[in-house]
Amino acid sequence: MKFFIDTANLDQIREAQDLGILDGVTTNPSLMAKEGISGKDAINAHYKTICEIVDGDISAEVLSTTYEEMIAEGEELAKIHKNIVVKIPMIKDGVKAMKYFADKGIRTNCTLIFSAGQALIAAKAGASYVSPFLGRLDDISVDGMNLIEEIRIIFDNYLFDCEILAASIRSPMHIINCAKLGADVVTSPLPSILNLMNHPLTDKGLAQFVEDAKKMK
């Protein structure tokens, strides 16, 4: 399973990259704004910087919602770097845009997926990734893991060349459950990734090793 980090913070991206397990980055206008980045030129420059840090797929989201505007914006984003994947919302014009980009050889990530039907339509349109939002489903008392399972079955049935990118990750258990169900990618805030390494028995065992090493000296 691939690990992406969901942020626009360069320090966090570098920290994840230094772990040696990072495969890509996803970000969005909200995450850009959180870092004080606004305006097309500044946003595009930030995407370029991220691409220089991480040698993997970088999802860059369009800000428009009409077909013509998404095409123009997506083509500009794709020119920033070969690793850019254009992030498109699951709307009617977005589906048309994904088909256009697929025909042009430009990879896309269909975002805001909340049903298996949406994922199926995106895959049919030629999306490279679909991004089901698990945490937001949990927020309305819907089990997001059922959605991952449904999409996995459908994609395996028809051998779609489209990866399941589990998004809106809220905890390490989200990541573990996605791995068990066969999600191709998880995109997560850094703390959830780091917490995968933690276990009290590891801490206890290490403390004992350290104490025993002191005695040997």
Side-chain angles (χ1 to χ4, degrees):
M1 185 171 68
K2 298 176 189 175
F3 276 26
F4 288 7
I5 185 173
D6 191 35
T7 186
N9 183 282
L10 297 181
D11 289 338
Q12 290 186 3
I13 292 171
R14 290 189 180 99
E15 183 177 353
Q17 176 71 6
D18 287 345
L19 282 174
I21 60 169
L22 189 63
D23 299 294
V25 176
T26 59
T27 188
N28 58 48
S30 298
L31 293 172
M32 287 284 189
K34 187 177 179 181
E35 300 303 317
I37 302 161
S38 61
K40 183 177 73 173
D41 291 342
I43 289 172
N44 289 355
H46 201 73
Y47 281 131
K48 184 176 180 181
T49 300
I50 293 172
C51 289
E52 291 168 350
I53 297 171
V54 181
D55 185 18
D57 287 350
I58 312 299
S59 285
E61 187 164 350
V62 298
L63 305 180
S64 48
T65 56
T66 66
Y67 174 75
E68 291 80 8
E69 290 174 325
M70 282 189 278
I71 294 303
E73 191 176 346
E75 287 182 332
E76 184 175 352
L77 289 170
K79 291 177 182 177
I80 294 173
H81 195 277
K82 63 181 177 63
N83 290 348
I84 290 288
V85 177
V86 181
K87 200 172 180 183
I88 304 287
M90 170 38 72
I91 55 177
K92 187 175 181 180
D93 276 9
V95 173
K96 291 167 60 179
M98 284 185 284
K99 173 60 177 172
Y100 171 88
F101 287 129
D103 290 343
K104 295 288 185 179
I106 295 173
R107 294 172 301 147
T108 56
N109 173 5
C110 186
T111 189
L112 295 172
I113 295 286
F114 293 100
S115 74
Q118 290 177 324
L120 176 58
I121 288 291
K124 286 281 290 181
S128 307
Y129 296 95
V130 293
S131 290
F133 276 44
L134 305 182
R136 296 194 194 185
L137 285 170
D138 289 352
D139 290 343
I140 60 168
S141 301
V142 175
D143 187 355
M145 293 304 159
N146 288 338
L147 177 56
I148 297 293
E149 185 174 16
E150 288 177 348
I151 299 172
R152 180 76 278 157
I153 291 170
I154 291 169
F155 282 14
D156 288 349
N157 280 348
Y158 299 103
L159 303 178
F160 281 118
D161 188 19
C162 180
E163 297 187 66
I164 303 171
L165 195 165
S168 189
I169 296 294
R170 302 280 177 81
S171 71
M173 282 312 301
H174 267 166
I175 299 175
I176 294 300
N177 287 330
C178 284
K180 288 163 66 176
L181 292 170
D184 300 290
V185 189
V186 291
T187 184
S188 169
L190 182 59
S192 292
I193 295 174
L194 296 179
N195 283 336
L196 287 171
M197 298 186 289
N198 297 335
H199 196 285
L201 292 180
T202 301
D203 297 338
K204 182 178 180 180
L206 182 60
Q208 185 63 55
F209 293 157
V210 171
E211 286 300 312
D212 290 344
K214 289 179 181 178
K215 294 175 184 177
M216 292 175 64
K217 292 180 181 178

